[in-house]
Amino acid sequence: MLFTRDEWPGGKNLATTPAIWRRMFSDIPSRSFGLNYDPSHFVWQQIDCVEPLFEFADRLFHVHAKDARVDRRPLNEVGIMAYPLEFHRPKLPGLGDVDWGAIHFRARRRRLRRPGVH
C-alpha cells in the first residue's frame, strides 16, 4: 500500500475523531453528508474503532477494509503525534489490531450491509 502525507488524520483529513464528527454533523445536518470510515486510522490514534459504529452508522457512506498494527517500541520513541508510519504498519484485514469480529457484529446489528463497503 502506498500513502501520501495528506489523506491521513493530521494531514488534509479533518474528519478524524467522533468528537469532530459530532460537530460536523451539527454544523452540516444534511443527510447527504457522511463519512468514509477507516478503522485502521482509529488504531494508530489509540481510539476504539468499534464504538463509533453505533452512533454514526447512518452517516457511514463508505467503509475501508484496512487494518494496522501499532509497534509500541517506535511509538514509545516518537509518540502519537509523529507521522503515523513511524510507529504503525498498514496490514491486510485480520493481520493487524482492528477487531474485525466486533466490527462485523456491530455492522450486522446496525444493518450496515450496503454498497460502498469494501
Side-chain angles (χ1 to χ4, degrees), residues 39-50:
S40 72
H41 290 179
F42 285 85
V43 167
W44 62 261
Q45 290 182 93
Q46 308 294 300
I47 298 173
D48 182 345
C49 64
V50 178

Side-chain angles (χ1 to χ4, degrees), residues 61-93:
F61 289 7
H62 188 267
V63 176
H64 280 181
K66 291 172 24 188
D67 211 332
R69 173 158 291 144
V70 171
D71 187 340
R72 291 286 166 191
R73 194 172 359 195
L75 177 60
N76 289 338
E77 289 294 317
V78 299
I80 197 73
M81 299 303 288
Y83 180 62
L85 290 177
E86 291 186 52
F87 63 85
H88 99 286
R89 299 292 171 259
K91 297 288 184 182
L92 293 172

Side-chain angles (χ1 to χ4, degrees), residues 4-79:
T4 64
R5 290 184 178 255
D6 57 0
E7 291 96 15
W8 61 284
K12 294 180 183 176
N13 182 352
L14 300 177
T16 59
T17 68
I20 293 171
W21 297 352
R22 282 184 206 95
R23 174 69 189 268
M24 288 172 23
F25 296 132
S26 174
D27 290 351
I28 306 170
S30 170
R31 303 309 291 173
S32 297
F33 184 54
L35 295 167
N36 173 26
Y37 177 75
D38 185 338
S40 72
H41 290 179
F42 285 85
V43 167
W44 62 261
Q45 290 182 93
Q46 308 294 300
I47 298 173
D48 182 345
C49 64
V50 178
E51 190 61 32
L53 293 175
F54 277 126
E55 184 176 351
F56 299 100
D58 61 336
R59 296 296 196 147
L60 303 183
F61 289 7
H62 188 267
V63 176
H64 280 181
K66 291 172 24 188
D67 211 332
R69 173 158 291 144
V70 171
D71 187 340
R72 291 286 166 191
R73 194 172 359 195
L75 177 60
N76 289 338
E77 289 294 317
V78 299

Side-chain angles (χ1 to χ4, degrees), residues 50 98-107:
V50 178
V98 172
D99 185 348
W100 290 101
I103 286 177
H104 179 71
F105 174 77
R106 296 239 175 135

